[in-house]
């Protein structure tokens, strides 16, 4: 029996499952089987990207699962080299081919690349893709408020999500607040801080007291705050463990104690400094 996964409404009414399966660093060869493992554990949402080079494996798992297409939520992201309008459109065509799908549920600009300065051009391409029906929702990733302000001023569609680094050691409060004020759902990437936060004594204490694992406690903290999460694991037991977070609740005191762990510590690049277009 799977405990069902709640959904969160996006600003266009599309519902996104609050828990998904992250695929960054899953090898192209292992992706199909691991995504199928995740489906078996109850996940119905998969987060991939052109940059991860594993869209094909995700698509193979969707096909092999036998699940109805409308029960699965698939996100992919535009790679950094394709912010020019025509490049973005053809890169999206390749995404659909790799995934072997007629549409994705969500398509994001992966990084704003402010030094390149073409993210509003890319956003225009995503708006065309959205209007064509081949993405049920569009959004951004790693956008700071100043990047979002330009998209809101120059675009016609408000991004449905902003996918940013967020975990107990990196609360990303300014971005989370900006998103909330503009009806943009915050998706938390590296929700476990790539595993680094799991030995934190506060998390270990709360895990002991609730009879859960530190990973489950952290993921539960995210979902109780309304974040969308997609932890990654290549270990079947952990994939299942990370999905068992909907049958317990953290107290207000535990929630506050985890929120107080914020020490402004990123595991990944700062959005203003990530400027690589070679991947
Ligand atoms: P994560 O926070 O999900 O951590 C993953 C790591 O945590 C694993 O490799 C493993 O070492 C450990 N782990 C996972 N489950 C565990 C468990 N139950 N017990 C103990 N250890 C466990 O990190 P992530 O993969 O960087 O982020 C999740 C997903 O977010 C990615 O796979 C990707 O889909 C997305 N992401 C997006 C961006 C972006 O720029 N948009 C950047 C990074 C990640």
């Amino acid at each position: 029996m799977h405990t069902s996964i709640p959904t969160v409404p996006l600003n266009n009414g599309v519902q996104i499952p609050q828990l998904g399966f992250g695929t960054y660093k899953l090898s192209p060869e292992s992706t199909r089987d691991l995504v199928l493992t995740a489906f078996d554990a109850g996940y119905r949402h998969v987060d991939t990207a052109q940059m991860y080079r594993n869209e094909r494996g995700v698509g193979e798992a969707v096909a092999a699962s036998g699940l109805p297409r409308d029960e699965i939520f698939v996100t992919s992201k535009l790679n950094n080299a394709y912010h020019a309008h025509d490049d973005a459109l053809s890169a999206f065509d390749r995404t659909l081919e790799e995934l072997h799908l007629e549409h994705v549920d969500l398509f994001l600009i992966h990084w704003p690349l402010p030094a390149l300065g073409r993210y509003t051009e890319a956003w225009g391409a995503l708006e065309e893709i959205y209007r064509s029906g081949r993405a049920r929702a569009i959004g951004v990733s790693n956008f700071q408020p100043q990047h979002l302000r330009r998209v809101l001023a120059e675009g016609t569609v408000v991004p449905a999500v902003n996918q940013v680094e967020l975990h107990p050691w990196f609360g990303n409060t300014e971005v989370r607040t900006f998103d909330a004020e503009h009806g943009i759902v915050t998706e938390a990437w590296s929700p476990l801080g790539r595993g680094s936060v799991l030995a934190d004594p506060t998390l270990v204490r709360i895990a002991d007291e609730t009879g859960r694992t530190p990973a489950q406690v952290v993921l539960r903290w995210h979902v109780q705050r309304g974040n969308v999460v997609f932890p990654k694991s290549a270990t079947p037991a952990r994939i299942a463990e990370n999905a068992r977070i909907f049958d317990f609740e953290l107290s207000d005191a535990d929630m506050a104690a985890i929120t107080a762990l914020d020490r402004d510590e990123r595991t990944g690049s700062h959005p203003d400094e990530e400027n690589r277009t070679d991947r």
Side-chain angles (χ1 to χ4, degrees), residues 155-266:
T156 55
V157 177
V158 177
V161 311
N162 186 16
Q163 181 180 126
V164 294
E165 178 169 357
L166 208 175
H167 47 75
W169 287 353
F170 188 66
N172 216 341
T173 307
E174 191 198 344
V175 171
R176 217 173 149 265
T177 304
F178 186 94
D179 289 348
E181 284 169 0
H182 293 84
I184 299 168
V185 168
T186 298
E187 295 191 327
W189 66 249
S190 294
L192 305 172
R194 301 210 164 124
S196 63
V197 305
L198 299 178
D200 188 289
T202 299
L203 297 173
V204 172
R205 171 183 64 74
I206 296 170
D208 285 347
E209 286 170 8
T210 54
R212 300 289 167 153
T213 66
Q216 289 172 323
V217 167
V218 172
L219 295 170
R220 182 69 211 178
W221 170 79
H222 280 287
V223 301
Q224 277 184 225
R225 298 182 95 209
N227 301 334
V228 172
V229 283
F230 22 81
K232 169 255 169 184
S233 174
T235 308
R238 285 178 172 174
I239 292 173
E241 172 189 323
N242 293 345
R244 285 195 299 270
I245 56 169
F246 297 105
D247 56 350
F248 76 111
E249 200 160 337
L250 294 172
S251 67
D252 291 348
D254 286 345
M255 289 293 293
I258 299 169
T259 303
L261 296 176
D262 188 3
R263 52 196 213 196
D264 209 23
E265 188 173 308
R266 291 181 190 270

Side-chain angles (χ1 to χ4, degrees), residues 34-194:
L34 289 167
V35 173
L36 282 170
T37 300
F39 287 148
D40 276 346
Y43 296 73
R44 291 292 181 270
H45 163 186
V46 185
D47 184 85
T48 183
Q50 294 168 354
M51 194 186 285
Y52 305 165
R53 314 223 180 277
N54 57 20
E55 290 171 308
R56 184 176 294 257
V58 171
E60 286 171 0
V62 170
S65 72
L67 290 164
R69 174 66 186 89
D70 64 2
E71 287 182 19
I72 301 175
F73 194 101
V74 179
T75 299
S76 193
K77 314 183 193 88
L78 181 71
N79 209 349
N80 291 345
Y82 308 129
H83 280 203
H85 172 270
D86 293 358
D87 292 347
L89 293 181
S90 48
F92 180 75
D93 288 344
R94 287 198 295 280
T95 275
L96 289 188
E97 277 168 34
E98 289 289 306
L99 287 166
H100 217 74
L101 294 177
E102 306 273 307
H103 70 272
V104 293
D105 296 280
L106 180 61
F107 194 62
L108 310 179
I109 301 178
H110 206 145
W111 289 89
L113 307 174
L116 183 70
R118 299 186 83 161
Y119 56 86
T120 55
E121 181 179 341
W123 185 250
L126 263 65
E127 290 192 352
E128 285 175 37
I129 291 165
Y130 177 57
R131 286 195 199 95
S132 77
R134 291 175 305 151
R136 293 174 66 227
I138 51 174
V140 296
S141 177
N142 300 301
F143 274 44
Q144 296 288 97
Q146 71 267 25
H147 311 132
L148 279 168
R149 274 191 205 99
R150 277 198 59 194
V151 168
L152 294 173
E154 295 176 34
T156 55
V157 177
V158 177
V161 311
N162 186 16
Q163 181 180 126
V164 294
E165 178 169 357
L166 208 175
H167 47 75
W169 287 353
F170 188 66
N172 216 341
T173 307
E174 191 198 344
V175 171
R176 217 173 149 265
T177 304
F178 186 94
D179 289 348
E181 284 169 0
H182 293 84
I184 299 168
V185 168
T186 298
E187 295 191 327
W189 66 249
S190 294
L192 305 172
R194 301 210 164 124

